[in-house]
């Protein structure tokens, strides 16, 4: 989970659809903008080039309890089906960090230790960070159904592949810090890239070994 810059004004269809009894919050202009703003990545797991994207509400709107949230541009996020289903639990209804307003990297450590995904709040007393870290951890580790086991394993596998690509280029830059390798690392560390929070956290925690990469984390 990384900081996302949401663009404004809100898609025009939201105001129009909100006036309808059965209006839609997923008209083409909404879909196009969310895909662009979120770099076609799930905002929770950071899987890129989604094949099953969904419009996810950070704060729930169902049962008519919070009707204004349904068409609130600030409450609409780009997510994969797996993450949307896992997040659809009562404990995650409130108190999840809004990555369009706060930078998750400042509050959460995203780590891959061998084959284990570890996600922890930087301050355990921060309930919002702790709950968000729990959600991201569960996305990669949930095992309560066969399909969720498969989906979690797929994301861990994709994360490992991306991290191995990072490790390979970090070794190359140690031996030969040329412009080509640095350009590859710059691309890998961009917030737009897949699993950017994990890659950026690793480099940040090893910055003494790679001081030239500091500017890519800003």
């Amino acid at each position: 989970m990384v900081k996302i810059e949401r663009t404004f004004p809100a898609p025009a269809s939201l105001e129009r659809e909100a006036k309808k009894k059965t209006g839609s919050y997923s008209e083409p202009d909404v879909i196009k903008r969310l895909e662009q703003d979120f770099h076609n990545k799930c905002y929770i797991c950071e899987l890129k080039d989604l094949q099953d994207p969904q419009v996810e509400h950070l704060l729930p709107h169902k049962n008519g309890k919070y009707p204004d949230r349904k068409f609130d541009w600030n409450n609409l996020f780009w997510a994969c089906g797996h993450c949307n289903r896992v997040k659809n639990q009562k404990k995650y209804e409130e108190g999840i960090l809004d990555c369009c307003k706060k930078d998750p990297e400042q509050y959460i450590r995203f780590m891959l230790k061998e084959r284990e995904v570890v996600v922890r709040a930087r301050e355990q007393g921060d309930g919002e960070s702790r709950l968000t870290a729990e959600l991201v951890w569960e996305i990669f580790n949930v095992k309560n159904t066969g399909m969720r086991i498969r989906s979690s394993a797929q994301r861990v596998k994709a994360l490992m592949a991306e991290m191995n690509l990072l490790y390979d280029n970090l070794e190359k830059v140690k031996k030969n810090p040329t412009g080509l390798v640095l350009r590859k690392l710059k691309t890998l560390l961009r917030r737009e890239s897949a699993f950017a929070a994990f890659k950026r956290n690793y480099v940040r925690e090893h910055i003494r070994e790679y001081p030239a990469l500091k500017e890519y984390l800003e």
Side-chain angles (χ1 to χ4, degrees):
M1 185 182 286
V2 294
K3 181 73 168 63
I4 296 295
E5 300 298 330
R6 188 187 295 274
T7 57
F8 292 91
S13 70
L14 290 174
E15 183 178 2
R16 181 178 67 249
E17 293 295 312
K19 298 175 182 178
K20 300 178 181 179
K21 187 175 182 180
T22 57
S24 169
Y25 52 79
S26 57
E27 290 296 289
D29 59 341
V30 174
I31 298 301
K32 181 178 179 180
R33 187 88 68 80
L34 285 174
E35 183 177 11
Q36 291 175 344
D37 285 0
F38 286 80
H39 315 296
N40 200 16
K41 288 200 307 179
C42 174
Y43 83 101
I44 301 176
C45 73
E46 289 197 87
L47 187 67
K48 196 168 173 65
D49 299 326
L50 300 184
Q51 300 303 307
D52 63 339
Q54 297 182 3
V55 180
E56 202 269 325
H57 289 78
L58 182 68
L59 298 173
H61 67 88
K62 295 181 180 179
N63 303 319
K65 190 175 181 181
Y66 303 106
D68 292 344
R69 293 178 177 175
K70 185 175 182 179
F71 299 94
D72 181 0
W73 175 233
N74 289 292
N75 196 39
L76 303 183
F77 288 70
W78 194 246
C80 67
H82 173 67
C83 288
N84 201 359
R85 288 186 290 272
V86 173
K87 183 177 175 289
N88 189 27
Q89 301 179 62
K90 188 173 181 60
K91 65 179 178 178
Y92 296 132
E93 286 185 355
E94 307 278 349
I96 297 299
L97 187 151
D98 184 341
C99 64
C100 292
K101 296 179 179 178
K102 293 183 178 180
D103 184 352
E105 295 179 74
Q106 294 183 11
Y107 302 91
I108 300 171
R109 297 174 66 205
F110 302 88
M111 299 169 285
L112 178 67
K113 296 187 174 181
E114 295 183 359
R115 299 180 65 89
E116 182 183 2
V117 174
V118 180
V119 188
R120 294 175 182 160
R122 294 188 183 278
E123 298 291 339
Q124 288 302 306
D126 182 348
E128 182 181 68
S129 300
R130 193 172 64 248
L131 186 63
T132 305
E134 180 181 341
L135 169 61
V136 178
W137 178 88
E138 189 171 356
I139 292 300
F140 288 93
N141 292 280
V142 64
K143 297 178 180 178
N144 57 351
T145 70
M147 285 303 297
R148 288 184 176 180
I149 291 172
R150 181 176 182 274
S151 294
S152 293
Q154 286 179 328
R155 280 153 182 77
V156 173
K157 182 179 180 180
L159 171 59
M160 289 178 62
E162 196 72 11
M163 292 300 291
N164 285 333
L165 186 59
L166 174 69
Y167 301 150
D168 289 345
N169 280 279
L170 288 175
E171 284 300 312
K172 290 178 182 178
V173 84
K174 276 184 178 180
K175 299 174 182 177
N176 186 20
T178 62
L180 178 59
V181 177
L182 287 172
R183 285 195 295 273
K184 287 182 179 179
L185 285 166
K186 183 178 182 179
T187 299
L188 286 169
L189 294 174
R190 293 180 66 193
R191 290 188 177 91
E192 293 87 344
S193 69
F195 309 110
F198 289 89
K199 293 182 292 187
R200 290 165 62 87
N201 186 83
Y202 179 86
V203 172
R204 186 176 290 110
E205 295 192 350
H206 296 81
I207 200 63
R208 289 186 179 181
E209 299 176 52
Y210 313 103
L213 304 183
K214 185 176 181 179
E215 62 178 298
Y216 300 158
L217 302 176
E218 297 174 354

